[in-house]
Amino acid sequence: MGLLWRSYGLFAVLTLMGVLAQYEWQPKDAFDEIKVRFDKVNGDNCPILPPRDLTLPEDSVSHLPDIKDVNINPVFPNRTALLHLHNMALSRAFFWSYILQSRFIRPAINDTYDPGMMYYFLSTVADVSSNRHINASAIYFAPNSSFSSSYRGFFNKTFPRFAPRTYREDDFNDPIHLQKISTLNTFYVRDLGAFPPDSALHDYTIKNYHINEWYNLWLPDNVDKRHDTKTTYQVEIRYANNTNETFTFHGPPGADENPGPVKFTKPYFDCRRSNKWLVAAVTPIADIYPRHTQFRHIEYPTYTAVSVLEMDFERIDINQCPKGEGNKGPNIFADTARCKKETTECEPIDGWGFRRGGYQCRCKPGYRLPGVVRRPYLGEILERASDEQFYNGFDCMKIGWVQKVPIKWFRAPSYVREQYLNRYYEYKNFTTGPSSLHSHKLNINEVLKFILGVNARSCKNYHPQDLMLTGEFAYEAQKQFENEAKMAIRLANFISAFLQISDPSEVYSGKRVADKPLTEDQMMGETLALVLGNTRIWSATTLWDRRKFPNRTLFGPYAYKRELNTRKFNLEDLARYNKTGEEYIDKPFFRLLKQRWATNFDSLEKYYLKIRLRHNETGEYAQRYEHFPNFYHAATMDHGYWTTPEFDCKGYVKKWLITYAVPFFGWDSLKAKLEFKGVVAVSMNMLQLDINQCPDDYYEPNAFKNTHKCDEKSSYCVPILGRGYETGGYKCECLQGFEYPYEDLITYYDGQLVEAEFENIVNDKESRFETFKCRLAGAAALQVQFTIVVFVSLFGWILLRRNLQS
């Protein structure tokens, strides 16, 4: 019995030692150092830790979106959330700059045109509710720079501090949710400018206020000598009564300026608030200061506030691959991948966040995967492997005989050319122009020749039906234009929240007054900000249903731009088109959404708000809003509608546009039930999509599906991002058991080259299309196995002896 227990004890010790030593072969690296600092801080100890422990190095987040590259280089899939954070901060800065200066369009009266406090609060709520990747949103005003219409007799006065902020709360244990499930739909809203005058620690303008980096990136705005340094933007406005006006306002820096309009903070711990590690995008808000003087010579443009949008650091993918062309720094996690550099190279993949393994190890040129391995080695598997597994596996095999890339091309024999034309018969007998869209099997070259050939001049030569494509030609638009759709959802969410929560007739105690109804300038500014904040949005509109906007029968602001990288924009009120058939309420997507949401609103998302606002004009302390907690219903991505691509030859933006429309809702006149109020729509250029020529399931609505030219016997098609609406957006990777035979810097056949050489065969020109095939792995190797030679020699010797004996 004692021997048995001793055996159990020895087995437990060996097991424990094996577990503890499983990863000892992995040396400590930068990820381990950042992980220790990350785990060290929590909500309990963050108030007593020094400021240096509450931030991470600046290069902890690599490949930050740069507005100068957005329309030039493709954005990595694992950086689309950061790009949306960037665009949202920029859009909000444009709106607040516009609305704070739009008072100069209106007649001078003894009142303020500024939005009320509830407008600020619900605006930050909509920023967070429209995207689950965004954790918090805030607007921080400089001292004595915020004018308000929320108090009586407050004309030409400012708040000492004003900073409305919203962050997403964990509502797991919230009493209003009996299911005990985190919904991510509960938001804590607070005015950070409401604190006692003698409590300096609560002043967000001081340097060490919860690691206050976002404020100090742009504020205070100390301009040296000249005050005309703020970038100006021009908007040509046409109102419903057909009167025109050109309004020029100051805004954040332009994309061509250095620095650009958006700055990112270092990762920091949001102590005493959300108690999470966050990364923020910060954009300045410009205003004319001081205002209300009516003396233009003493007023000057300056940055009076910053728009700050934050997201969880844990949600941001890290890049463990070594630095190189296309993967430049700064990046603290560079070269922490476990790929074997002798035979493999690292390639990042998306969706892993702040944890190891977000990469795969591909074979280097001149090497191939073993015959029993089908795909590249996943980083997650390497990171969890033991030392024995790592050192004895995860290698690529050297290709024995590497060929030179052919430099002399030949015309394909007639019978070979006929074989290809019989296989791809759509290139032998095809139609041109609009008829090419309706062929049984599309000739992708003729289809793209027609689509790319339609412009503002040639569109008049086609029938309107020829300028309307089916949804198959906009395959994956919902995915590739997701960020743009979320910006429309954000505005729809805000209008829904304001119409359901803010009551202009409500009476409060003291001097505080309720927010006024939404104004035309506010809705025009919100619509314009969608176009200014996202370069891929060519037009945006907010269409109100009949008699739903205050004091207006119809109201439909429509903002658009005529070219990329411009500072001149246009704004129209579509209500001026009042003839039968021309009204915007007759648009197909407007009528469809109105019919869909005529009666039943049960599927709308429900958002809960916990608002704490200031006690009085000077702040003093934060108190609960009279309705605490509050809620509103709004639409999500699934509640919107995607239109098919269309070239509107009579429209303002003459491009192939795809429109996403989402509804917004408010209470009816009796406040008894919700009702449909209108639609927010954004339009994007279809030609900015990446088409997919690779095979897919039969039910996928892709017009260009399976139009690739890869040799299917030895290779398979893989889409490549960033090629746009052109052929060749793929690569031909070798199948398992095959290898890339050429001495080259890549291990695949590029789709653009494959398409070009196939065109040469169709046109009976010199081509090397026949060489774009993978060869059987190991079939042409010059090396042989010693055991095979010995076995063959021995077998031959035995046969020889038998013959001699006989």
Side-chain angles (χ1 to χ4, degrees), residues 112 123 149:
T112 177
S123 176
S149 60

Side-chain angles (χ1 to χ4, degrees), residues 468-500:
M468 298 178 63
L469 305 179
T470 60
E472 295 178 325
F473 292 91
Y475 178 66
E476 285 194 337
Q478 293 90 334
K479 179 180 179 181
Q480 298 184 38
F481 288 141
E482 182 181 9
N483 284 350
E484 289 68 33
K486 286 179 179 178
M487 297 191 75
I489 295 172
R490 184 260 155 211
L491 179 52
N493 269 20
F494 165 73
I495 299 176
S496 297
F498 193 90
L499 294 179
Q500 297 173 43

Side-chain angles (χ1 to χ4, degrees), residues 55-66:
T55 59
L56 299 178
E58 190 171 359
D59 54 354
S60 299
V61 181
S62 62
H63 303 86
L64 290 170
D66 187 353

Side-chain angles (χ1 to χ4, degrees), residues 169-180 186 610 629:
E169 259 196 344
D170 185 4
D171 53 5
F172 177 78
N173 285 320
D174 201 300
I176 60 178
H177 295 297
L178 301 179
Q179 301 92 339
K180 297 297 181 181
T186 300
K610 298 179 180 179

Side-chain angles (χ1 to χ4, degrees), residues 322-342:
K323 295 180 182 179
E325 290 296 326
N327 187 27
K328 298 180 179 180
N331 179 13
I332 196 172
F333 302 108
D335 206 13
T336 59
R338 307 298 186 191
C339 294
K340 293 189 174 181
K341 297 183 180 180
E342 297 80 12

